[in-house]
Amino acid sequence: GFRPHVELYSIQEIEKRVQTLRLYFGKWIDWVTERKATTSEIVAERTKKYIQEHYMENNLSISSMSRELFINQTYLRKMFKAEVGKTIWEFLTEYRMEIAGQLLLSTDYNSNKIAEMTGYSDVGYFGKCFKKYYHVSPKQMTKNIHQSID
């Protein structure tokens, strides 16, 4: 039975009552701050999971994510960036590039197939993203792999 109003009214000295009130507000602010951090962690984790399950869809968008996660788009962007330290698109691109790199190393699929499998409908754009991420083109990476095997 926490009943702060009863305790506050029982304190006769104004200064002591103000100190107690400040203590209560401090605890309340700490609790609210912790709840927001917890909420942003949940939002970030749900968004990451959604991206990991849907990265191969070339029509993936913030609006589709927000609809599926029942979260306002602006809030989704803000919470994700605050928690993860990068935008949703940066995270999505990095995740797609990690998958693309793994596919390139572990399969015989060509760039067109890997682009399609990782959510890119434009193989040229896929190639630009790949080169920006790995600092080599998919073709150069494949060539380097084959040279190291030979």
Side-chain angles (χ1 to χ4, degrees):
F2 178 64
R3 299 177 61 187
H5 62 286
V6 173
E7 189 174 328
L8 283 172
Y9 286 121
S10 70
I11 300 171
Q12 297 302 313
E13 293 178 63
I14 297 295
E15 190 59 37
K16 190 111 168 134
R17 193 181 284 181
V18 169
Q19 285 176 332
T20 304
L21 196 57
R22 284 186 178 141
L23 176 70
Y24 291 161
F25 272 110
K27 288 181 179 185
W28 178 76
I29 288 169
D30 290 344
W31 180 82
V32 168
T33 303
E34 288 173 7
R35 284 298 296 154
K36 283 190 177 185
T38 301
T39 302
S40 66
E41 285 175 9
I42 292 167
V43 168
E45 287 307 310
R46 286 177 60 202
T47 305
K48 284 181 191 179
K49 184 177 181 200
Y50 187 83
I51 287 170
Q52 291 164 348
E53 292 171 355
H54 298 271
Y55 71 91
M56 72 293 293
E57 299 169 12
N58 65 7
N59 60 348
L60 189 58
S61 67
I62 299 286
S63 63
S64 66
M65 282 185 228
S66 70
R67 265 193 316 276
E68 290 295 319
L69 299 171
F70 301 105
I71 301 170
N72 173 281
Q73 288 183 43
T74 303
Y75 183 74
L76 176 62
R77 284 186 183 107
K78 182 180 176 183
M79 289 296 109
F80 192 88
K81 174 80 174 181
E83 193 61 38
V84 179
K86 55 185 85 167
T87 68
I88 292 171
W89 291 122
E90 289 168 338
F91 180 84
L92 173 62
T93 300
E94 288 177 12
Y95 188 76
R96 284 175 166 172
M97 288 299 109
E98 290 294 323
I99 300 294
Q102 290 171 12
L103 288 170
L104 199 62
L105 294 172
S106 63
T107 69
D108 290 330
Y109 295 138
N110 63 27
S111 292
N112 290 342
K113 181 67 175 169
I114 292 174
E116 179 187 318
M117 292 173 72
T118 54
Y120 291 92
S121 56
D122 180 349
V123 73
Y125 182 65
F126 165 76
K128 285 180 185 180
C129 291
F130 192 95
K131 187 164 186 168
K132 183 177 180 182
Y133 189 78
Y134 287 106
H135 306 289
V136 293
S137 70
K139 191 173 191 174
Q140 289 169 315
M141 183 179 273
T142 305
K143 184 178 175 184
N144 292 346
I145 292 167
H146 290 300
Q147 285 177 346
S148 66
I149 293 172
D150 294 339

